[in-house]
């Protein structure tokens, strides 16, 4: 099982004095505390928890964390101490693409994808977004560029229990666990996945809806309001050991390439892209109001029909 | 005393609605923020002793009547106001009473001629400071607990503020006070700039942690509020020793910046996450007051800095510290550390310049060597004097056990860490409590802290609270009957 995580190191904007925001064009953030993007931190911890669950099953598992742009060494080394096998930094491209990378999710995804293509991880975790104001589009672009399945709003992930494996093996294919009251949904990739090697149980939360799904890799798992949002603590000993290690720097062949055409990437077969397309195309909606006569039972029956499309008037 | 009679007796004094017996409210009033108690609460296990009830007093007369009643019936009582304790100082005795003065929160007088303010014990410091700022004044007292703390508790615990190098600790700021003794008698200490009329009786109550009386009213000095005149500067220095030497020099030369802070390399790297060379320590300096004084002090500091291999980091790190310095109060009730599987806290000590560096080194070395679960340990100096400074150790250790064992491990390992800090401090003649007080967790080290003067504490207790009802467990080690 190869687990990957994409993360970004950002300034803690909450620690910027209000007065400094007035000088936006000259905002100096060098003195501001740096941290993992909050959702990325949750993704890092969720990935480690998935790794732990594989280790408990005595399975081979590796965990790699990748960031574009790097950050303070202490934060990169902290990932080794937390349990990552590899930490990789991808330098920002030179020129305008690098300078404006924070506003070029497609380019960021391209850089990340170029690295992951060399590694072929089974699952890649990302945070929902880096922070306030971020487009939140990198995960979808990344999935598109890799041809991976995309699962959003992931809160937890774990390897299949032995019983679950037997159950799915008996069914002959990857199926949803039949666990009430969770909602199960068959995952059918739109195109042949790059490599079907791993199955991961995930929990997704969208509002009040909690779904437990069985995901057959490869997939990009986008972590939202994770069950454990903070990266784990580690011992002083592990911290000292980690100080001896350095993050690897990986440079793609084309670091100053022109950002790809979004449409091109979208043809990659990513799943769940409907949501993302809202960003580009606004479908006009209209609302109607009508009075339903009758008692509660009659109103409920009418509503059921309306929701199932049987009533149009 | 029988529980029902106790509650009825108290209701007869302060009224039914001011005697609270609901378990949640009583436990909340006893809530203490010492690291292992936070962990235990977050784990769903409140280990604090259960008081019979919480009494919310509204006047000095009520405090007096309640204490007289409790004294007559030999009922244990713990005074409280803001509830920001981190030493188990507000935890009651099992079956005792919590006497809460936070409703006594009136501002009584702002005297702009004599430059003092008088308020009741429950006045929140942050509110008082805001009110004074609007009038162009400041208390000059800014502890990290500012958003929570109230005057009575601040005086009782011998609090200190982040601007202490200029304004001093609370002991330098209290002009006079009113307190109620265990037998209900009310004592007032008048407001004068200074006097030579015997021992200073204010100090019977400042830092007494409620074991000698209940502070009901406080008069504090006020100062002109002139933030526009501030001079701020941060320096990067090579390691803690060079940093201590640098700030020592500033103090020795006679400069009085309001803020003198030195954060060790661990805090710089692991807590502030600054991208700095591995052994970088950070000095934060802030001068306040009349502009001529602040500019002259700043110039003097810059002259000293020029003789050290320090890196001038400008004013931004200080400005940032100013706006974030009390953020910790926002997270006190969030299970952040628990979710990370750690117990985290601080512990402050002080010592003279000649030994403080050695104490720091010894503590850090021993924590590294002897606490296998240690995840983080470092510290900073935040209150400096001509003679020495404090070290505020920060630590976090991992709870490796599960269930009930984890609850026990949190407390045992915590006290193991504290034990190391206490031992190393005492060994070199430092003080084991710079500004949080003894509380109930440091009491066991108080005999060594005070040495031959310690018996005086018992004599004071015997004189002011002969039945021993007030905040049992703080400062005084329980003695065998024949010793008492």
């Amino acid at each position: 099982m190869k687990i990957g995580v994409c993360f970004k190191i950002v300034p803690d904007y909450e620690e910027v004095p209000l007065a400094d925001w007035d000088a936006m064009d000259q905002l100096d953030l060098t003195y501001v505390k740096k941290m993992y993007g909050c959702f990325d931190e949750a993704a890092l911890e969720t990935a480690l928890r998935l790794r732990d669950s594989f280790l408990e099953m005595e399975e081979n598992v590796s965990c790699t964390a990748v960031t574009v742009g790097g950050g303070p060494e202490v934060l990169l080394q902290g990932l080794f101490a937390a349990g990552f096998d590899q930490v990789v930094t991808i330098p920002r491209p030179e020129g305008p693409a690098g300078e404006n990378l924070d506003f070029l999710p497609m380019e960021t995804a391209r850089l990340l994808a170029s690295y992951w293509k060399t590694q072929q991880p089974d699952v890649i975790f990302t945070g929902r977004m880096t922070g306030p104001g971020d487009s939140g589009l990198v995960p979808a672009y990344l999935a598109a560029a890799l041809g991976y399945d995309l699962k959003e709003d992931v809160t937890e992930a774990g390897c299949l229990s032995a019983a679950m494996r037997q159950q799915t093996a008996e069914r002959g294919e990857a199926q949803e666990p039949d666990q009430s009251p969770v909602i199960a949904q068959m995952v059918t990739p739109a195109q042949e996945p790059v490599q079907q090697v791993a199955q991961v149980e995930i929990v997704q939360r969208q509002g009040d809806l909690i779904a437990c799904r069985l995901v057959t890799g490869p997939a990009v798992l986008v972590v939202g309001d994770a069950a454990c949002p903070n990266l784990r603590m580690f011992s002083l000993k592990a911290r000292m050991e980690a100080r001896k290690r350095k993050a690897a720097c990986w440079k793609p062949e084309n670091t100053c390439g022109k950002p790809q055409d979004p449409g091109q990437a979208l043809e990659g077969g990513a799943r769940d892209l409907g949501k993302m397309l809202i960003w580009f195309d606004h479908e006009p909606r209209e609302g109607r109001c009508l009075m339903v006569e009758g008692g509660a039972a009659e109103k409920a029956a009418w509503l059921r029909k309306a929701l199932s499309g049987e009533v149009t008037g | 005393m029988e529980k029902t009679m106790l509650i009825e007796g108290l209701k007869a004094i302060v009224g039914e609605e001011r005697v609270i017996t609901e378990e949640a409210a009583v436990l909340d009033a006893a809530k203490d923020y010492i690291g292992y108690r936070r962990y235990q609460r977050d784990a769903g296990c409140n280990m604090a002793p259960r008081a019979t009830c919480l009494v919310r007093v509204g006047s000095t007369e009520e405090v007096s009547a309640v204490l007289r009643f409790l004294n007559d019936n030999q009922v244990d009582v713990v005074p409280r106001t803001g509830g920001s304790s981190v030493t188990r100082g507000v935890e009651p005795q099992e079956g005792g009473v919590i006497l809460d003065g936070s409703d006594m929160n009136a501002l009584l007088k702002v005297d702009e001629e004599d430059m003092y303010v008088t308020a009741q014990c429950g006045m929140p410091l942050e509110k008082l400071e805001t009110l004074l700022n609007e009038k162009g004044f400041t208390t000059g007292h800014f502890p990290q607990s500012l958003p929570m703390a109230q005057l009575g508790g601040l005086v009782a615990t011998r609090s200190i503020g982040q601007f202490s190098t200029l304004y001093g600790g609370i002991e330098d700021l209290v002009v006079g006070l009113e307190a109620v003794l265990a037998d209900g008698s009310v004592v007032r200490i008048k407001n004068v700039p200074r006097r030579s009329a015997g021992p200073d009786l204010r100090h019977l109550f400042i830092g007494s942690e409620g074991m000698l009386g209940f502070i009901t009213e406080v008069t504090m000095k006020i100062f002109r509020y002139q933030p526009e005149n501030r001079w701020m500067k941060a320096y990067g220095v090579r390691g803690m020793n060079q940093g201590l030497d640098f700030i020592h020099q500033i103090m020795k030369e006679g400069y009085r910046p309001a803020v003198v802070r030195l954060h060790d390399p661990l805090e710089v790297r692991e807590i502030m996450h600054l991208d700095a060379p591995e052994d970088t320590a950070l000095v934060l300096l802030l001068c306040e007051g009349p502009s001529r004084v602040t500019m002259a002090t700043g110039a003097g500091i810059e002259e000293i800095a020029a003789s050290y291999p320090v890196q001038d980091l400008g004013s931004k790190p200080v400005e940032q510290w100013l706006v974030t310095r009390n953020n910790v109060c926002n997270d006190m009730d969030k299970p952040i550390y628990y979710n990370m599987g750690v117990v985290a806290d601080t512990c402050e000590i002080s010592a003279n310049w000649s030994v403080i560096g050695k104490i720091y080194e010894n503590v850090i070395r021993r924590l590294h060597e002897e606490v296998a679960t240690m995840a983080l340990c470092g510290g900073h100096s935040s209150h400096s004097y001509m003679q020495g400074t404090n070290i505020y150790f920060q630590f976090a250790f991992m709870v490796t056990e599960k269930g009930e064992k984890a609850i026990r491990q949190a407390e045992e390992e915590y006290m193991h860490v504290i034990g190391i800090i206490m031992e190393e401090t005492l060994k070199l003649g430092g003080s084991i409590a710079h500004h949080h007080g003894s509380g109930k967790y440091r009491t066991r080290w108080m005999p060594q802290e005070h040495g031959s003067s310690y018996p005086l504490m018992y004599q004071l207790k015997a004189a002011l609270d002969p039945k021993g009802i007030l905040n049992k467990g703080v400062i005084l080690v329980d003695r065998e009957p024949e010793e008492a």
Side-chain angles (χ1 to χ4, degrees):
Chain A
M1 179 72 180
K2 288 170 84 170
I3 303 169
V5 191
C6 303
F7 70 101
K8 188 176 176 184
I9 292 172
V10 296
D12 185 350
Y13 290 108
E14 287 185 13
E15 294 204 349
V16 180
L18 278 179
D20 283 18
W21 288 109
D22 294 339
M24 269 305 284
D25 55 336
Q26 296 163 349
L27 186 59
D28 176 13
L29 297 174
T30 53
Y31 64 90
V32 180
K33 175 182 174 176
K34 306 297 184 296
M35 60 185 209
Y36 309 110
C38 57
F39 290 112
D40 292 347
E41 183 174 353
L44 288 162
E45 179 59 25
T46 308
L48 285 174
R49 284 171 186 258
L50 176 62
R51 182 204 62 157
D52 293 347
S53 68
F54 275 97
L55 288 175
E56 273 173 29
M57 300 289 288
E58 299 182 345
E59 294 236 359
N60 284 331
V61 59
S62 70
C63 227
T64 300
V66 176
T67 185
V68 177
E73 206 170 16
V74 64
L75 288 176
L76 300 173
Q77 288 172 336
L79 296 177
F80 288 122
F84 280 88
D85 301 294
Q86 288 291 326
V87 180
V88 177
T89 62
I90 304 174
R92 281 172 174 254
E94 291 169 6
E99 287 165 21
N100 298 304
L101 199 60
D102 292 343
F103 309 102
L104 295 171
M106 177 74 74
E107 178 64 2
T108 305
R110 189 184 71 80
L111 290 166
L112 290 167
S114 61
Y115 173 76
W116 290 124
K117 277 176 184 167
T118 68
Q119 301 297 311
Q120 301 281 309
D122 299 297
V123 288
I124 300 172
F125 288 89
T126 72
R128 177 194 292 164
M129 56 169 60
T130 303
D134 183 56
S135 70
L137 292 174
V138 172
Y141 282 138
L142 177 64
L146 291 170
Y148 276 28
D149 195 11
L150 179 73
K151 289 290 155 205
E152 295 181 299
D153 302 310
V154 174
T155 61
E156 289 174 69
C159 80
L160 292 184
S161 62
M164 185 76 74
R165 284 167 192 228
Q166 194 179 343
Q167 193 184 354
T168 52
E170 282 166 7
R171 287 177 183 171
E173 58 180 343
Q175 283 191 335
E176 290 297 324
D178 182 19
Q179 289 179 355
S180 185
V182 299
I183 296 165
Q185 179 186 314
M186 183 67 186
V187 177
T188 315
Q191 65 174 52
E192 198 60 34
V194 177
Q195 196 181 10
Q196 282 208 15
V197 289
Q199 289 178 318
V200 175
E201 267 187 291
I202 62 166
V203 178
Q204 289 173 285
R205 183 176 191 131
Q206 290 162 327
D208 293 334
L209 194 66
I210 297 174
C212 179
R213 287 196 168 112
L214 182 62
V215 173
T216 301
V220 171
L221 305 178
V222 186
V223 177
D225 298 323
C228 296
N230 298 111
L231 186 65
R232 62 193 52 192
M233 268 285 185
F234 32 85
S235 70
L236 205 52
K237 195 177 165 192
R239 194 183 299 275
M240 302 309 276
E241 282 298 314
R243 284 192 184 181
K244 298 173 190 163
R245 303 183 65 179
K246 284 214 177 292
C249 180
W250 186 86
K251 290 183 183 172
E253 285 176 11
N254 176 15
T255 55
C256 51
K258 190 175 131 191
Q260 266 184 296
D261 170 31
Q264 213 179 317
L266 293 178
E267 287 165 13
R271 308 291 303 146
D272 291 355
L273 283 179
K275 273 185 193 170
M276 198 188 72
L277 288 171
I278 291 168
W279 289 86
F280 305 109
D281 299 308
H282 175 67
E283 285 182 24
R285 292 177 183 174
E286 60 180 39
R288 283 178 300 158
C289 182
L290 55 90
M291 189 71 78
V292 180
E293 304 283 340
E298 289 166 289
K299 286 177 184 171
W302 182 90
L303 189 61
R304 187 182 58 75
K305 284 182 180 177
L307 291 173
S308 62
E310 292 174 40
V311 177
T312 53
Chain B
M1 188 182 195
E2 203 270 321
K3 188 176 169 180
T4 315
M5 285 176 68
L6 170 62
I7 292 168
E8 290 310 313
L10 290 166
K11 284 180 177 175
I13 297 169
V14 296
E16 192 154 337
E17 72 283 1
R18 288 188 169 274
V19 180
I20 294 127
T21 54
E22 285 81 16
E23 190 184 23
V26 174
L27 281 175
D28 194 55
K31 189 165 42 173
D32 191 281
Y33 291 97
I34 193 168
Y36 65 86
R37 283 286 193 250
R38 285 178 67 181
Y39 184 91
Q40 290 166 344
R41 279 199 301 272
D42 292 339
C45 183
N46 195 328
M47 305 284 280
R50 263 63 168 173
T52 298
C53 62
L54 164 71
V55 181
R56 299 183 71 98
V57 280
S59 67
T60 301
E61 291 71 30
E62 282 187 358
V63 175
S64 172
V66 168
L67 283 180
R68 194 179 310 118
F69 172 75
L70 296 175
N71 193 54
D72 289 346
N73 293 287
Q74 295 199 40
V75 177
D76 290 316
V77 55
V78 57
R80 88 182 283 280
T81 50
S84 63
S85 168
V86 291
T87 61
R88 292 182 48 220
V90 293
E91 284 189 2
Q93 294 293 304
E94 194 73 34
V97 170
I98 300 172
L99 195 57
D100 187 341
S102 56
D103 288 342
M104 295 175 63
N105 52 18
L107 175 65
L108 302 175
K109 186 179 185 183
V110 179
D111 191 322
E112 298 185 16
E113 184 179 5
D114 294 335
M115 295 291 278
Y116 64 72
V117 59
T118 302
Q120 287 183 305
C121 59
M123 165 60 76
L125 179 62
E126 192 168 43
K127 184 179 171 189
L128 178 64
E129 181 63 22
T130 305
L131 290 169
L132 288 171
N133 289 171
E134 286 165 5
K135 292 174 179 286
F137 299 103
T138 175
T139 59
H141 194 63
F142 312 110
Q144 199 170 41
S145 60
L146 183 74
M148 302 169 75
Q150 298 172 2
L151 282 192
L154 290 164
V155 175
T157 53
R158 212 176 178 87
S159 156
I160 201 161
Q162 292 146 339
F163 288 39
S164 67
T165 310
L166 177 64
Y167 297 105
I170 198 108
E171 68 275 17
D172 302 303
L173 299 172
V174 171
V175 181
L177 55 80
E178 178 190 80
V180 182
L181 304 186
D183 65 1
S185 53
V186 179
V187 294
R188 290 187 68 87
I189 299 171
K190 67 181 176 183
N191 303 323
V192 287
R194 187 182 187 274
R195 56 178 160 168
S196 172
D200 191 337
L201 296 177
R202 290 174 297 186
H203 292 279
L204 288 176
F205 303 101
I206 299 173
S208 69
E209 302 187 40
M211 76 155 191
L212 298 179
F214 187 105
I215 297 163
T216 47
E217 185 186 303
V218 179
T219 297
M220 286 178 75
K221 295 174 187 172
I222 56 174
F223 305 86
R224 288 281 307 282
Y225 181 56
Q226 305 168 89
E228 66 280 6
N229 295 339
R230 281 176 185 161
W231 173 95
M232 293 179 269
K233 185 75 77 127
Y235 292 101
V237 296
R238 298 286 299 277
M240 199 61 172
N241 280 337
Q242 188 185 84
L244 284 169
D245 193 48
F246 178 42
I247 61 173
H248 180 193
Q249 199 61 28
I250 293 170
M251 300 309 298
K252 209 156 94 174
E253 292 298 325
Y255 294 108
R256 294 282 297 274
V259 176
V260 180
R261 298 177 72 87
L262 167 65
H263 295 266
D264 77 353
L266 177 124
E267 288 193 356
V268 171
R269 269 175 67 85
E270 309 285 353
I271 297 172
M272 298 174 172
H273 293 162
L274 295 182
D275 205 359
E278 198 159 318
D279 62 346
T280 301
L282 182 68
V283 175
L284 303 179
L285 298 159
L286 182 150
C287 302
E288 184 166 278
S291 63
R292 288 191 184 89
V293 175
T294 60
M295 291 306 114
T297 306
I301 290 170
E302 282 170 355
E303 202 176 295
I304 295 171
S307 64
Y308 279 83
V310 298
Q311 189 187 356
D312 186 337
L313 301 174
S315 63
K316 283 292 175 195
V318 190
E319 291 172 38
Q320 191 214 3
W321 169 80
L322 266 178
V323 296
T324 59
R325 63 199 157 124
N326 299 326
N327 284 0
V328 66
C329 288
N330 304 330
D331 298 328
M332 296 280 273
D333 286 310
K334 295 176 187 166
I336 296 171
Y337 296 130
Y338 175 75
N339 288 343
M340 295 164 88
V342 298
V343 172
D345 212 339
T346 59
C347 180
E348 22 62 67
I349 59 97
S350 67
N352 294 334
W353 290 113
S354 55
V355 294
I356 193 74
K358 193 69 187 157
I359 292 173
Y360 167 81
E361 280 176 11
N362 291 350
V363 167
I364 297 294
R365 177 181 46 77
R366 281 191 63 190
L367 292 180
H368 275 237
E369 288 172 2
E370 296 177 28
V371 185
T373 56
M374 189 57 70
L376 271 176
C377 62
H380 60 261
S381 153
S382 46
H383 306 276
S384 283
Y385 313 86
M386 188 76 90
Q387 293 71 31
T389 190
N390 79 310
I391 295 287
Y392 214 136
F393 289 104
Q394 291 210 61
F395 58 87
F397 62 84
M398 297 188 297
V399 179
T400 50
E401 300 285 359
K402 303 283 177 209
E404 281 182 21
K405 283 184 177 173
I407 300 294
R408 280 199 299 276
Q409 187 195 7
E411 181 167 348
E412 286 166 9
E413 199 78 307
Y414 187 96
M415 293 312 293
H416 180 202
V417 171
I418 296 299
I420 290 171
I421 299 171
M422 301 292 101
E423 281 169 29
E424 291 303 322
T425 305
L426 288 166
K427 209 185 283 179
L428 292 179
S431 171
I432 58 170
H434 177 259
H435 60 267
H436 286 170
S438 157
K440 296 183 177 82
Y441 87 119
R442 280 199 270 221
T443 307
R444 72 178 78 162
W445 290 281
M446 282 296 146
Q448 293 152 276
E449 167 71 18
H450 290 284
S452 60
S453 62
Y454 193 53
L456 287 174
M457 293 281 187
Y458 289 94
Q459 289 172 29
L460 285 171
K461 180 72 172 172
L464 298 182
D465 178 21
K467 291 183 181 175
I469 63 164
L470 285 167
N471 210 4
K472 203 174 273 175
V474 297
I475 305 172
L476 297 179
V477 175
D478 268 348
R479 294 195 297 189
E480 296 299 320
E482 60 271 20
E483 288 180 87

